[in-house]
Amino acid sequence: MALSISLDIASLHAAYQQGDLTPTALIYELLARADSYDKDPAWITRLDRKQLAPYLQRLEGESPETLPLYGIPFAIKDNIDLAGIPTTAGSPAYAYTPTESAFVVQQLIDAGAIPMGKTNLDQFATGLVGERALSDYGVPTNAFNPDYIPGGSSSGSAVVTAAGMVSFALGTDTAGSGRVPACFHNIYGVKPSLGLLSTRGVVPACATLDTISLFTFIADDAEKVLSITATYDDQCAWSREHRFSVHGKRYGTAPKMFRFGVPLASQWQTDAAYTKGMHQAIAELEAIGGIKVELDCSPLLSAARLLYEGPWVAERYHVIHELMESHPEAVHPVTFKITQGGSTPLAVDAFDARYKLAEFKRQADALIGQVDVMLSPTTVTHPSKAEVAADPIGVNSRLGTWTNFMNLLDYSALAVPIGFTEQEMPVGVTLFGRAFDDLTLLSLARALETRLMLPLGATGVAHPALSEHLTTAQNGTMELVVCGAHLQGLPLNHQLTERGGVLVSTTYSAPRYKLFALAGGPPKRPAMVRDTHGQSIEVEVWRLPSETLGSFLTGIPAPLGLGQVELADGSWKCGFICTAGALNESGDAEDITEFGGWREWLTRQS
């Protein structure tokens, strides 16, 4: 069977449901495809038919309706455990055979996914080039052009995904290892928020900064895989529980208006092709409703330099120092040189670096707090293998310019395909934000994807049609309409700002409201009441984190409360309302509708 179907999850499930394909037929075809693929160094271990049989048998009696990843093939970076298969981390001398799969791998298998094998990597996940593999395994080749590097450290996972040997793959990402190879292969690279995916069963690079990453063809698949794997693991010391729905977050269609931050162009450091990609991404985001905000990203770039210039390299040394001492020949020379630097930092160096990082994070958080999402280059160029061979450490450092700070600053990030160079090589950008902004990033990426509809990876397969049945994305914030003492500059405005509130707009209600000044105070408070004989009232719209609404609500005194307020543009938003009948009961509320707003009434009183 010659497989021509798209390997995205929806297409495969449709084929299964229609009887055009079975998981066994798909897997056997993918095995044949891998056999004929001339870039075998992308794999370290491929499962054969006998090893795959239990995973296929497990699907008997199941379907896409019962298992969300029914019959979906995936690959695993070889520093992540798969039960019964050696984990090498790119070193035969380090290899061990686990009896249990990594927590995340087991979740995927339980959801019906089929592991096809373990993929090659920059040894011990140290590197962004994909060139630091021992001769025992060979060096993966870029799926688009063998003269160019595949990117690392999750090189093999990116290559086998882009080449169409799996539907998705697991990598890891400490300093960019899940984003740089995605950028070089026209696929999505999800760098989840730290702790969102358990790292139990993962060989650590820097345990405090590691996360499993995801490679997929399309944003919908990234969200589906993330929804399955983002499960709290109470046996993982680094796991953090976060239920998106509880925090008012949801994947879906992008908002009609949002603000996106962009580094100053002088800070990009990109070559011509990647500069063009940034300009294209900016234009596309503006086309879907984005408002560009240029920001000085110096704090982020300063934090990035701490990763390898500071004591965090000691974490890498901690993992493999015994192997380096007993079998130095088992460690790639470049990896050895970099990691050896971790033997010298003192405890005081670690604290000095932590203090610097805390200051950079304070500055960086204030910076990105001005926008809904950030856009940056994923990397600055796509070097050739010859360029990396000539300067293996220097080129690698340049590739991490826009990736190294993400985990240090506890941000979420997503590498997004944006187009191709004149030489038909992929170009991508990165969307990033605060911790647990993962679904916001994916929602915006899907909006870009809908406009671009790029072919899938390096397969040449046209982008499949996307479902139009998505709800509107939610980013964990809500907009609140205020009309009185909470207006900017007035006595109760601090109740909004101290909860992270940001002024969105000054506007008017629909022409169906009356405004009353309530008795009592200070401070004086108004009541806005819906009335068919009313008029438009000046209001402000503030955006608040959803989790702060409860504490805000408990501080609202009777007869006021929160409900739905209609604005002049016809939209309805949460805002202050007055309890039905309260004005009649008190009898001492003053009708001030004619002033058109609380601020104007206050001015007339002074």
Side-chain angles (χ1 to χ4, degrees):
M1 177 188 70
L3 188 68
S4 59
I5 190 173
S6 169
L7 289 177
D8 69 282
I9 295 171
S11 295
L12 288 180
H13 278 177
Y16 292 153
Q17 291 168 322
Q18 294 164 9
D20 298 331
L21 186 66
T22 66
T24 298
L26 171 67
I27 296 308
Y28 287 178
E29 169 59 24
L30 293 179
L31 288 176
R33 179 179 292 187
D35 286 338
S36 63
Y37 193 63
D38 63 359
K39 302 178 180 62
D40 280 329
W43 295 98
I44 286 180
T45 303
R46 285 197 292 119
L47 274 61
D48 58 28
R49 291 191 179 195
K50 182 178 180 180
Q51 291 170 310
L52 288 165
Y55 299 106
L56 290 168
Q57 291 169 1
R58 180 254 187 276
L59 300 180
E60 293 179 4
E62 304 285 359
S63 71
E65 286 78 21
T66 60
L67 294 174
L69 295 179
Y70 172 87
I72 303 299
F74 75 106
I76 305 166
K77 184 177 180 179
D78 201 17
N79 62 341
I80 305 172
D81 289 346
L82 175 63
I85 303 299
T87 298
T88 71
S91 174
Y94 181 86
Y96 63 92
T97 301
T99 58
E100 295 183 353
S101 293
F103 181 81
V104 165
V105 171
Q106 191 59 53
Q107 287 177 296
L108 295 170
I109 293 171
D110 290 345
I114 303 172
M116 300 296 290
K118 309 292 291 295
T119 56
N120 208 341
L121 66 156
D122 277 336
Q123 191 186 54
F124 297 111
T126 301
L128 296 177
V129 291
E131 300 290 294
R132 298 176 184 172
L134 297 181
S135 58
D136 304 68
Y137 304 124
V139 175
T141 305
N142 185 281
F144 282 86
N145 187 326
D147 293 333
Y148 287 82
I149 65 169
S153 64
S154 307
S155 51
S157 288
V159 170
V160 301
T161 303
M165 288 185 272
V166 292
S167 294
F168 71 92
L170 300 182
T172 59
D173 193 318
T174 304
S177 296
R179 288 161 280 158
V180 171
C183 177
F184 292 166
H185 283 93
N186 186 41
I187 53 179
Y188 289 83
V190 180
K191 193 229 54 87
S193 299
L194 286 179
L196 191 58
L197 273 62
S198 168
T199 52
R200 181 158 56 99
V202 178
V203 177
C206 295
T208 59
L209 301 177
D210 292 338
T211 180
I212 287 178
S213 61
L214 311 175
F215 296 103
T216 67
F217 288 115
I218 64 175
D220 283 355
D221 286 1
E223 188 277 330
K224 181 178 282 289
V225 176
L226 183 67
S227 70
I228 292 166
T229 53
T231 301
Y232 178 68
D233 177 7
D234 62 8
Q235 297 182 54
C236 174
W238 309 109
S239 189
R240 295 196 288 181
E241 187 168 14
H242 185 85
R243 298 184 181 181
F244 288 106
S245 60
V246 171
H247 290 269
K249 300 175 182 180
R250 180 174 65 201
Y251 176 69
T253 57
K256 294 181 180 179
M257 190 277 287
F258 58 93
R259 291 161 57 88
F260 67 97
V262 179
L264 300 175
S266 60
Q267 297 176 327
W268 294 359
Q269 304 177 53
T270 44
D271 66 14
Y274 279 72
T275 297
K276 182 178 179 181
M278 277 291 290
H279 285 300
Q280 181 183 356
I282 290 169
E284 295 290 351
L285 286 172
E286 289 177 330
I288 61 174
I291 300 171
K292 182 181 75 170
V293 181
E294 289 190 314
L295 299 172
D296 181 355
C297 290
S298 297
L300 285 70
L301 297 173
S302 295
R305 289 190 287 272
L306 284 177
L307 187 61
Y308 284 100
E309 296 176 9
W312 276 273
V313 72
E315 279 199 276
R316 296 182 184 272
Y317 180 76
H318 176 267
V319 176
I320 62 170
H321 70 92
E322 292 181 358
L323 182 65
M324 292 172 64
E325 294 165 3
S326 62
H327 296 87
E329 75 286 350
V331 182
H332 189 282
V334 177
T335 303
F336 191 100
K337 181 178 180 179
I338 293 170
T339 308
Q340 185 64 34
S343 65
T344 57
L346 303 173
V348 67
D349 298 321
F351 283 108
D352 283 345
R354 287 294 302 174
Y355 300 156
K356 290 179 182 178
L357 180 60
E359 177 58 23
F360 292 147
K361 181 164 176 59
R362 182 190 66 79
Q363 296 172 14
D365 285 353
L367 191 73
I368 72 170
Q370 301 175 49
V371 295
D372 298 298
V373 67
M374 288 291 297
L375 168 73
S376 76
T378 296
T379 188
V380 298
T381 189
H382 191 169
S384 67
K385 286 178 174 286
E387 289 173 313
V388 172
D391 184 14
I393 295 179
V395 172
N396 188 95
S397 296
R398 284 195 66 210
L399 295 182
T401 301
W402 290 101
T403 61
N404 285 351
F405 60 79
M406 295 291 184
N407 285 351
L408 282 170
L409 295 176
D410 195 17
Y411 292 158
S412 53
L414 174 66
V416 181
I418 201 68
F420 295 90
T421 69
E422 293 179 357
Q423 292 74 38
E424 299 184 352
M425 294 297 290
V427 174
V429 294
T430 288
L431 298 173
F432 69 94
R434 307 160 190 80
F436 307 118
D437 276 354
D438 308 76
L439 298 188
T440 298
L441 306 182
L442 283 165
S443 298
L444 287 172
R446 193 188 195 273
L448 291 175
E449 180 181 16
T450 303
R451 290 179 57 83
L452 298 170
M453 297 299 280
L454 300 174
L456 302 186
T459 65
V461 175
H463 197 295
L466 292 172
S467 171
E468 298 180 358
H469 304 294
L470 282 185
T471 54
T472 302
Q474 294 180 348
N475 64 359
T477 63
M478 62 161 294
E479 293 186 344
L480 180 69
V481 178
V482 300
C483 63
H486 289 93
L487 294 168
Q488 190 172 38
L490 296 188
L492 298 183
N493 182 249
H494 69 90
Q495 294 182 355
L496 300 177
T497 57
E498 68 190 13
R499 289 172 170 81
V502 177
L503 178 63
V504 175
S505 65
T506 298
T507 184
Y508 289 88
S509 72
R512 283 175 283 278
Y513 287 90
K514 286 190 173 182
L515 190 66
F516 295 85
L518 298 175
K524 295 289 289 183
R525 299 170 185 265
M528 195 167 78
V529 179
R530 189 171 176 83
D531 191 306
T532 55
H533 301 294
Q535 66 178 59
S536 292
I537 304 297
E538 186 176 22
V539 297
E540 289 177 354
V541 180
W542 286 73
R543 181 178 296 130
L544 289 170
S546 298
E547 56 261 31
T548 67
L549 183 62
S551 64
F552 181 78
L553 181 60
T554 58
I556 300 174
L560 302 179
L562 294 183
Q564 292 296 304
V565 175
E566 185 182 10
L567 297 183
D569 63 3
S571 63
W572 290 79
K573 297 184 184 296
C574 183
F576 279 89
I577 59 173
C578 185
T579 304
L583 297 179
N584 292 333
E585 293 172 3
S586 64
D588 53 3
E590 179 184 355
D591 187 341
I592 60 172
T593 306
E594 62 180 298
F595 294 95
W598 183 249
R599 200 184 298 275
E600 179 64 20
W601 179 74
L602 288 177
T603 300
R604 299 290 184 90
Q605 302 307 299
S606 59

